[in-house]
Amino acid sequence: MSRLQRKRIKDDRAKKRKPIREESFPAESVFRANDFSYVDSIVDPNRGHRAGPKGYPPSAMFAALLLMYLKEIRSILDLIRFLKNNPEWLGTLGLKRRVGGVEVYSVPDRTRFYRFARRIGVDGMMQILSVMVVRMMQAGIIRGRSVSLDATIVSAWFKDDRAKKDERHLKTCRHERSKDRDASWGYDHHRDRYVYGYKVHVLLDSRTALPIALTVTAAGYGENRTVAWFVTMILELGIHVKKFFADMGYDTNQARLLIAEALEATPFIPLQTRNCKGATGKEKKARRKLLAYRFYAKNFIKRFWVDPDSKRFDREYDVRTFSEQVFSVGKGSLSLDSLMHRGREWATLHSVAICVVMLAVARTATEAGRPDLKRCVTCFNG
C-alpha cells in the first residue's frame, strides 16, 4: 500500500465522526444503585465496637474518591472545592462524623484523604475491587468465561522529557526521579518512547470489557511475570475461564502451561519470535510454533493447542480488540494517565478507583434498563 493510499484511508476515517450519545443521567444515580458500605468492614472492621473518635466512614471517603473520577475532577483540592460548593453531595456520599456527640456533615480536609490512602493499603484496594467484581458476577453482568489480560504504562507524578539533553535538565531529571522511588523506566510501545512511571496490568471480561482484577507494578516490570498472580486471583474469585487472551508479551511456555493446567482454559497468545533462531521472521515464527507445539505435547496439554496461524485463532482473537476499550475509556473519560501523587499505593488506588467507577456505571446502566450504556461513563456524570 502506497503512502498516498494510506493518507486517503486516514483522511476517510477522520471524516467519519463517531455518533454522539445524547443520553445523560445524574451522577447521583451511580451512588444510589451501588452500595459501598462493604468498604467499612475491609478498612475498619472494628469500627462499630471501637471506643473513641471514629472520623468519617471509610465507605464515604472511598465514595468521594469515586466521585472525583466520575466527575473528572483533577485533584483532591479540586474535589474539596467541589464539595464545599455543592454541599448536597455530603449527604449523598455519607460524609459525616460525630462532633460533640452530634453527627455533622462536613468536608474532609486534604490530609484525611492522604491518610485514608495509606490506611487502606494495596491489599485492601484489591479486596475492594474483588468484592465489587463478585457482586457483578452475582448480578449476571460479568461471566468471565472469556478473559483478556493486558497492560498499559502511566506516567509517574512528575513529567519528564528525554528529548532535552542539556546537563542542567539531566540533573533535574535525576533529582525529580527520586521523588517517586516505586516507579521505574519502561518502554511504551504506543507512545514509542521510554516513560518513567507504573505499569497497570488489568484482567478483563472479554464479553463486556469490564475489569475483573488488576495489579500495579513499576513500568519496567515484565508483563509475563504477572500471569501467575492473575491465575491465582481467578481461582480465588471462582471464575470458570474457558478462553484466556493475551498479547505476545505474555508468550512463555510457563504461562501457557499454568493457564492450561490450573484454569483448564485455552490460551490464545500470539507467538513471540524475538529470541528464536532463524534468518527471517518467517523462519523464526515457524521455529517458535514448532517448539511451542512440542512443549504442549510433552506436558500432555495438546487439547488446548490452537494453531496461531489458523482462522479459528484469528476469529477468537478479535474479541480482545473489543476488550481493549477499557484502556481508551480509562485514559479518556477517567484520566488513567493523570497520576497526581507519588508511590505505588496511590497508583494502585488511582487504578482501582477507575475500575470500580467503570463497574458501578455498568451496574447502574443495567438497572436503569440501558445495558447498551454499560461502558459510557460520560453518560452518568451529569
Side-chain angles (χ1 to χ4, degrees):
M1 184 182 295
S2 66
R3 182 181 299 178
L4 180 60
Q5 289 175 324
R6 289 196 296 268
K7 187 177 184 302
R8 287 177 178 175
I9 293 175
K10 185 176 180 179
D11 293 340
D12 291 340
R13 289 177 178 174
K15 291 178 182 178
K16 295 179 181 179
R17 296 184 177 275
K18 295 182 179 180
I20 299 176
R21 297 185 186 270
E22 298 181 355
E23 298 90 347
S24 180
F25 296 85
E28 291 86 347
S29 60
V30 175
F31 296 92
R32 287 196 297 265
N34 295 272
D35 181 17
F36 298 108
S37 60
Y38 68 90
V39 177
D40 293 335
S41 60
I42 295 175
V43 181
D44 192 1
N46 299 320
R47 181 180 178 84
H49 309 286
R50 190 180 71 250
K54 299 179 176 61
Y56 295 94
S59 57
M61 297 290 290
F62 186 72
L65 292 175
L66 298 183
L67 176 66
M68 181 177 72
Y69 290 97
L70 183 62
K71 284 283 191 179
E72 301 181 51
I73 301 173
R74 294 287 298 174
S75 64
I76 296 295
L77 286 177
D78 292 336
L79 172 64
I80 293 173
R81 296 189 189 101
F82 175 84
L83 293 175
K84 289 181 178 179
N85 294 329
N86 300 272
E88 66 276 5
W89 271 101
L90 299 178
T92 303
L93 301 175
L95 284 171
K96 59 183 178 180
R97 58 174 180 157
R98 187 173 294 275
V99 179
V102 180
E103 289 189 340
V104 179
Y105 287 95
S106 61
V107 180
D109 56 40
R110 181 176 56 178
T111 57
R112 287 186 180 272
F113 284 103
Y114 296 155
R115 289 200 299 266
F116 174 73
R118 291 193 298 268
R119 180 183 181 188
I120 193 173
V122 173
D123 293 338
M125 298 169 199
M126 296 297 103
Q127 193 173 353
I128 290 173
L129 179 60
S130 298
V131 173
M132 190 72 178
V133 170
V134 169
R135 291 187 174 187
M136 297 289 284
M137 293 172 58
Q138 293 172 345
I141 301 174
I142 291 179
R143 295 181 182 177
R145 301 298 183 190
S146 173
V147 298
S148 178
L149 180 59
D150 204 353
T152 187
I153 293 180
V154 297
S155 301
W157 177 57
F158 84 101
K159 300 296 180 182
D160 184 17
D161 184 7
R162 280 196 160 187
K164 299 179 181 179
K165 297 297 184 181
D166 59 278
E167 186 63 26
R168 180 180 178 185
H169 177 77
L170 292 176
K171 288 182 179 179
T172 303
C173 290
R174 286 193 290 268
H175 173 70
E176 293 291 335
R177 187 180 66 175
S178 65
K179 289 188 175 181
D180 195 343
R181 298 182 183 276
D182 295 342
S184 71
W185 289 104
Y187 186 76
D188 191 336
H189 296 276
H190 297 286
R191 307 181 204 182
D192 194 22
R193 65 183 178 90
Y194 282 91
V195 177
Y196 187 78
Y198 296 93
K199 186 175 291 184
V200 182
H201 311 260
V202 184
L203 183 73
L204 312 169
D205 177 37
S206 301
R207 184 178 65 90
T208 60
L210 293 175
I212 295 176
L214 72 82
T215 186
V216 177
T217 64
Y221 196 83
E223 296 175 2
N224 52 27
R225 297 168 64 185
T226 64
V227 173
W229 185 87
F230 280 106
V231 168
T232 302
M233 287 299 299
I234 291 173
L235 295 174
E236 289 182 358
L237 291 172
I239 303 176
H240 303 288
V241 177
K242 296 300 180 183
K243 300 174 184 177
F244 193 104
F245 297 91
D247 61 28
M248 65 176 59
Y250 298 91
D251 179 31
T252 63
N253 289 337
Q254 291 75 18
R256 293 175 180 270
L257 181 63
L258 187 61
I259 294 169
E261 288 187 339
L263 301 179
E264 295 187 355
T266 302
F268 288 87
I269 306 175
L271 299 175
Q272 175 61 268
T273 61
R274 181 171 50 195
N275 297 323
C276 287
K277 297 180 180 179
T280 63
K282 188 175 181 180
E283 291 181 2
K284 290 183 177 181
K285 186 174 183 180
R287 177 174 175 79
R288 175 69 185 105
K289 185 166 71 170
L290 176 62
L291 294 176
Y293 182 78
R294 289 178 176 176
F295 180 82
Y296 275 62
K298 179 181 178 180
N299 291 275
F300 307 102
I301 56 173
K302 281 179 62 176
R303 66 184 185 277
F304 299 108
W305 170 259
V306 178
D307 188 347
D309 295 325
S310 64
K311 292 183 178 179
R312 180 195 171 190
F313 186 94
D314 293 337
R315 183 177 64 254
E316 296 280 5
Y317 200 74
D318 286 341
V319 178
R320 188 175 177 277
T321 304
F322 167 72
S323 65
E324 287 178 346
Q325 293 180 2
V326 68
F327 289 127
S328 61
V329 173
K331 291 188 175 181
S333 304
L334 297 172
S335 303
L336 177 62
D337 199 23
S338 298
L339 184 60
M340 303 295 290
H341 303 87
R342 66 174 180 262
R344 180 169 174 257
E345 286 186 350
W346 264 106
T348 304
L349 178 60
H350 175 73
S351 305
V352 167
I354 288 175
C355 289
V356 172
V357 166
M358 296 180 67
L359 295 173
V361 167
R363 187 183 186 95
T364 305
T366 302
E367 293 187 359
R370 295 301 306 273
D372 57 309
L373 302 179
K374 283 189 293 188
R375 293 181 303 278
C376 183
V377 176
T378 56
C379 296
F380 292 89
N381 64 357

